[in-house]
Amino acid sequence: MNFKFLIVILCIAFLSSCKQDMYLHKVEGKQINISDSIKQSTEIEAFIKPYREHVNNNLDSILAYAVDTYSKTDGEYNTAIGNMMADAVYQESNPIFKSRTGKDIDMVLLNHGGIRAIISKGNISKRTAYEVMPFDNSVVVVELKGQQVKELVNYLVKAKRAHPISKLKITLDKDTLLQSAFVNDKPIDVNKTYFVATNDYLYNGGDRMNFFKTNDSLYVLDYKIRNVLIDYFSETDTLRPVIDNRFIQLKN
């Protein structure tokens, strides 16, 4: 018999019998504050640099030029930047909607709070679109009955805020009461169905726009508002939006 082999077997058996089971019984951690005091890793920086430069070059590519600076606070009931955004949604989304359904969008409603930055005078880039609309809100088209569109108008009248609208015209009298409301220059017909373009945030009840909850149909275009702006900027050499009469109050 090979005694060396037997000794090896006995040693393995002995060591195995001495092995103890190990269990995790404590986990410790500590907070690491991220600040300028943390030493920069040259290896990581070298790896990231080409990607960062590519992203920045893409975001900073010039798409258009703005003749002035536009803010969501530059008007009482409608603003130049809000009008531009609502008109852009109509211009860019309606061809998509029509190609899929054979129908046209009747009007657009966005939210004043969704405008997150000004548009400064000068060159306009993709970065501008990301600053104005940093959220991933997308365009949806909601089918509403005429009565619901009237509720939509009443909401805007009570809110007295420059929520961006397009193809909708609202006039208040000197006492801020509703005088008239038109969709595509026609009075609202309670027996008609309207296709209203908005964003998914408002459709889901954002800003308490509950009139969207009772709808006949929903069409999801898979088109982010931010991409709408990028496409609109790309097609528009010079931006010169204005405050107009789509939502006004009469003074006399």
Side-chain angles (χ1 to χ4, degrees), residues 149-150 153 168-171 178-183 186-188:
V149 174
K150 284 195 169 186
V153 170
L168 171 65
K169 184 176 180 180
I170 300 173
T171 302
L178 179 64
Q179 183 178 88
S180 63
F182 296 88
V183 175
K186 296 180 181 179
I188 298 169

Side-chain angles (χ1 to χ4, degrees), residues 127-224:
R127 189 182 298 277
T128 307
Y130 275 83
E131 290 170 347
V132 173
M133 176 51 66
F135 311 116
D136 286 333
N137 297 136
S138 298
V139 180
V140 296
V141 180
V142 187
E143 189 173 350
L144 297 181
K145 292 183 172 66
Q147 184 57 46
Q148 292 167 283
V149 174
K150 284 195 169 186
E151 293 176 17
L152 181 158
V153 170
N154 289 335
Y155 172 94
L156 295 176
V157 171
K158 291 180 180 178
K160 294 179 175 60
R161 199 175 190 192
H163 291 297
I165 57 176
S166 183
K167 305 297 180 182
L168 171 65
K169 184 176 180 180
I170 300 173
T171 302
L172 307 180
D173 64 18
K174 61 183 181 62
D175 299 316
T176 69
L177 299 176
L178 179 64
Q179 183 178 88
S180 63
F182 296 88
V183 175
N184 285 317
D185 298 322
K186 296 180 181 179
I188 298 169
D189 184 351
V190 294
N191 297 313
K192 182 180 176 180
T193 296
Y194 294 85
F195 296 99
V196 181
T198 186
N199 60 54
D200 49 359
Y201 167 74
L202 296 183
Y203 171 75
N204 289 313
D207 284 9
R208 298 182 181 179
M209 295 192 184
N210 298 323
F211 43 81
F212 283 126
K213 290 183 178 179
T214 52
N215 64 84
D216 286 348
S217 297
L218 174 69
Y219 303 85
V220 179
L221 302 190
D222 294 322
Y223 196 9
K224 296 187 188 306

Side-chain angles (χ1 to χ4, degrees), residues 37-102:
S37 63
I38 297 179
K39 186 178 179 181
Q40 187 178 37
S41 169
T42 55
E43 292 83 3
I44 295 176
E45 176 61 24
F47 179 81
I48 293 174
K49 184 179 179 181
Y51 298 97
R52 181 191 296 118
E53 290 177 347
H54 174 75
V55 170
N56 285 333
N57 289 336
N58 184 45
L59 288 176
D60 292 332
S61 58
I62 306 303
L63 304 178
Y65 180 85
V67 300
D68 204 348
T69 296
Y70 304 101
S71 167
K72 68 178 182 181
T73 62
D74 62 8
E76 184 176 6
Y77 290 103
N78 74 91
T79 65
I81 189 173
N83 294 345
M84 182 204 70
M85 287 183 66
D87 290 345
V89 168
Y90 179 83
Q91 177 177 310
E92 302 299 329
S93 300
N94 191 58
I96 299 172
F97 181 69
K98 190 164 187 175
S99 69
R100 296 180 186 178
T101 66

